[in-house]
Amino acid sequence: MSWLPDDFVHPVNVPVPNTTLHLRPIREADTALDYPAVMGSRARLWEIFGPAWSWPKETMTFEEDRIDLLRHEREIAAHQSFNYALLDEDETAILGCVYIDPPERTGSDGEVSWWVVDDLVGGDAEHALDALVPQWIATDWPFQQPRYLGRDITWQDWLALPRAS
């Protein structure tokens, strides 16, 4: 049994209210935009995601990022997991990402996390994304018990939960 209904169609363009930004599924072709976003915010992202995902490594290369994005693109196509890039209007910069994944730990039917680049931390765009994501998940995704990692549960508490079967 899949973690999503067979007839589920994932959103392909999600405007972030009160901004010129939008979310769309990430692609391998986005590597030139993703790599500087990730590596430019790497130290903070490692603080958030490192203990759980060992990402992003200090030594991550452009090629490793490309391979990672290709994996994400394939997972999206197969509805295995989703990585949405936060992009400016003209898609000239990735400014963050939203991850929607099947549950790795017990107690939820979907696990959601997100980040913005260092330059947006604490600003209007981050606040708009923070407001959007839970509403978007409730409206457009088929979850009954989504879990917002690092938001409604700390990463440390999440890691302490039993693994989902």
Side-chain angles (χ1 to χ4, degrees), residues 79-158:
H79 277 197
Q80 294 171 333
S81 70
F82 298 85
N83 177 345
Y84 282 82
L86 177 66
L87 293 141
D88 63 348
E89 190 171 20
D90 297 327
E91 298 197 357
T92 60
I94 287 180
L95 302 169
C97 285
V98 177
Y99 307 101
I100 304 166
D101 297 308
E104 285 186 38
R105 307 290 173 166
T106 59
S108 75
D109 55 355
E111 295 177 340
V112 183
S113 58
W114 64 95
W115 59 273
V116 296
V117 294
D118 286 356
D119 288 348
L120 297 184
V121 171
D124 292 343
E126 182 182 40
H127 295 308
L129 185 64
D130 289 350
L132 168 68
V133 172
Q135 177 201 10
W136 174 48
I137 297 299
T139 303
D140 292 350
W141 292 81
F143 304 128
Q144 300 302 307
Q145 291 182 286
R147 179 177 287 138
Y148 300 100
L149 304 178
R151 311 291 172 151
D152 66 0
I153 186 172
T154 67
W155 283 92
Q156 187 174 32
D157 288 346
W158 176 78

Side-chain angles (χ1 to χ4, degrees), residues 13 15 17-18 21-22 27 34 36 40 46 53-54 56 63 66 78 82-83 92-94 103 137 157 164-165:
N13 188 309
N18 305 313
L21 307 177
H22 65 279
R27 305 183 285 248
D34 185 67
W46 182 264
W53 295 350
S54 298
E63 180 63 10
R66 185 194 66 74
F82 298 85
N83 177 345
T92 60
I94 287 180
I137 297 299
D157 288 346
S165 52

